[in-house]
Amino acid sequence: MSQPKRPALGRGLDSLISMDDVPARGTTAINDILLEQISPNPDQPRKDFDEEALQELASSIRELGIIQPLSLRKSGPSSYQIIAGERRYRAAIIAGLSSVPAYIRTANDSELTEMALIENIQREDLNAIEIALTFRKLIDQYSLTQERLSERIGKKRATIANFLRLLKLPAEVQLGLRDRRVDMGHARALLTIDNPSLQLKLYNEILKNGLSVRRVEQLAKAYQNGTDLQQSKASQQSKYTTNDFEILKKHLSMSFKTPVQFTCNAKGNGKITFPFKNADELEQLIAIFDSVNRTDN
């Protein structure tokens, strides 16, 4: 008989880790836990905490206390690790509290990371790079496929793939995404460009000119096509060597009975010069041009 499929952690969050409505599974009692007994989760996906926002939360806690309890798991005889609520924990320290209200539940390391990720995603606390790095960590650490991770956290596989692709961007762009200087729409447009140097060039244009996502999509397409065009031109130029130009120069000189000057630069631009010493040589050249023109007609 087949085993029942484990429900995705991303589904039914109100019964699992939503700190807004229902206590975490494993207890229905609110415990008062000393702050010195609590430690953050080292695998917490969220790495950046806005100091100004923490100060505002601390002020609120001084006035009203912590309205929403933290969610903790027991990590030792008298120690606990945060599942959800690290902002409240940090603000409580700033506010000078000695203890905080909390629900206690059990969770293994994999579940802890998953729950911390989902709780932050649901609150939109994480930036795109933090989410991408956590997806990568879950996949690598627990040997998950993107499909399996999709089932575990209740996110579409395409969503997971899109986040993981962000880790292929140049480091400078990833930092900009982490710091919310650009958003996911900009990043997805940059990913359509194959050349990292061009990705960086367009990224800097976004910062300098405040480009919209739509405009970046247009420019990314132009950048990509421009790169292909340059490669095509380079390929065409490779058909002609310096020796080929010398042969052409000699051929023209013999045909027009004058030392033809022939130049061509790296971009394929150039000119052919027909020098003459006197009026007679000029008339001779004109006659040759006229004969060629009559032949063409």
Side-chain angles (χ1 to χ4, degrees), residues 7-11 13 118 122 135 147-157 159-160:
L9 289 179
R11 304 186 184 96
L13 288 174
I118 296 167
Q122 292 298 317
F135 283 163
E147 188 66 33
R148 181 57 179 149
L149 179 59
S150 170
E151 296 172 357
R152 291 285 291 270
I153 66 174
K155 290 287 182 181
K156 293 181 179 178
R157 183 184 175 281
T159 299
I160 293 172

Side-chain angles (χ1 to χ4, degrees), residues 42-288:
D43 292 326
Q44 153 76 276
R46 185 179 185 184
K47 303 302 180 186
D48 297 319
F49 293 85
D50 184 88
E51 288 300 323
E52 184 176 348
L54 281 177
Q55 292 291 342
E56 292 176 355
L57 181 56
S59 297
S60 175
I61 288 174
R62 290 191 192 99
E63 290 290 326
L64 304 172
I66 294 181
I67 298 175
Q68 182 58 57
L70 283 70
S71 181
L72 310 175
R73 74 161 179 173
K74 202 169 182 61
S75 57
S78 58
S79 61
Y80 303 87
Q81 194 172 68
I82 297 172
I83 293 176
E86 187 169 339
R87 281 186 72 249
R88 281 162 278 165
Y89 164 77
R90 290 174 177 246
I93 293 175
I94 296 173
L97 272 60
S98 59
S99 62
V100 292
Y103 298 115
I104 311 300
R105 63 153 296 168
T106 57
N108 60 37
D109 290 340
S110 174
E111 290 174 330
L112 182 66
T113 302
E114 290 171 347
M115 288 186 291
L117 170 65
I118 296 167
E119 197 264 348
N120 279 290
I121 290 176
Q122 292 298 317
R123 295 170 181 266
E124 300 183 349
D125 281 346
L126 295 184
N127 62 61
I129 290 300
E130 287 173 331
I131 293 174
L133 288 171
T134 303
F135 283 163
R136 173 52 59 196
K137 180 181 179 67
L138 287 168
I139 287 173
D140 293 344
Q141 188 167 330
Y142 302 106
S143 301
L144 300 175
T145 62
Q146 290 185 20
E147 188 66 33
R148 181 57 179 149
L149 179 59
S150 170
E151 296 172 357
R152 291 285 291 270
I153 66 174
K155 290 287 182 181
K156 293 181 179 178
R157 183 184 175 281
T159 299
I160 293 172
N162 284 335
F163 274 105
L164 291 175
R165 289 178 66 218
L166 299 177
L167 301 179
K168 297 180 180 180
L169 288 167
E172 186 176 343
V173 180
Q174 291 189 41
L175 289 174
L177 195 54
R178 183 200 68 182
D179 297 336
R180 293 185 168 89
R181 304 182 72 187
V182 294
D183 60 29
M184 276 285 287
H186 293 113
R188 282 194 293 266
L190 291 174
L191 281 167
T192 64
I193 304 173
D194 295 330
N195 189 325
S197 296
L198 291 178
Q199 289 176 336
L200 274 174
K201 180 180 179 181
L202 184 49
Y203 167 72
N204 287 322
E205 286 191 36
I206 295 171
L207 299 185
K208 180 180 178 181
N209 301 313
L211 302 178
S212 67
V213 172
R214 177 61 179 162
R215 181 55 179 157
V216 174
E217 290 172 345
Q218 294 171 342
L219 289 175
K221 184 175 182 179
Y223 274 35
Q224 183 69 11
N225 291 339
T227 300
D228 293 340
L229 180 61
Q230 290 174 1
Q231 292 173 346
S232 175
K233 287 181 177 179
S235 176
Q236 291 175 1
Q237 288 178 22
S238 66
K239 297 177 182 177
Y240 304 102
T241 65
T242 302
N243 187 53
D244 292 330
F245 291 139
E246 286 298 319
I247 293 174
L248 179 58
K249 179 178 177 180
K250 290 179 181 179
H251 175 73
L252 291 172
S253 296
M254 291 177 61
S255 297
F256 287 89
K257 298 180 175 59
T258 186
V260 174
Q261 302 299 319
F262 187 96
T263 61
C264 182
N265 61 26
K267 294 182 179 180
N269 300 324
K271 62 181 178 179
I272 300 174
T273 305
F274 296 88
F276 54 89
K277 295 179 181 178
N278 50 50
D280 292 337
E281 289 189 1
L282 174 59
E283 290 179 1
Q284 185 179 4
L285 284 172
I286 293 174
I288 294 173

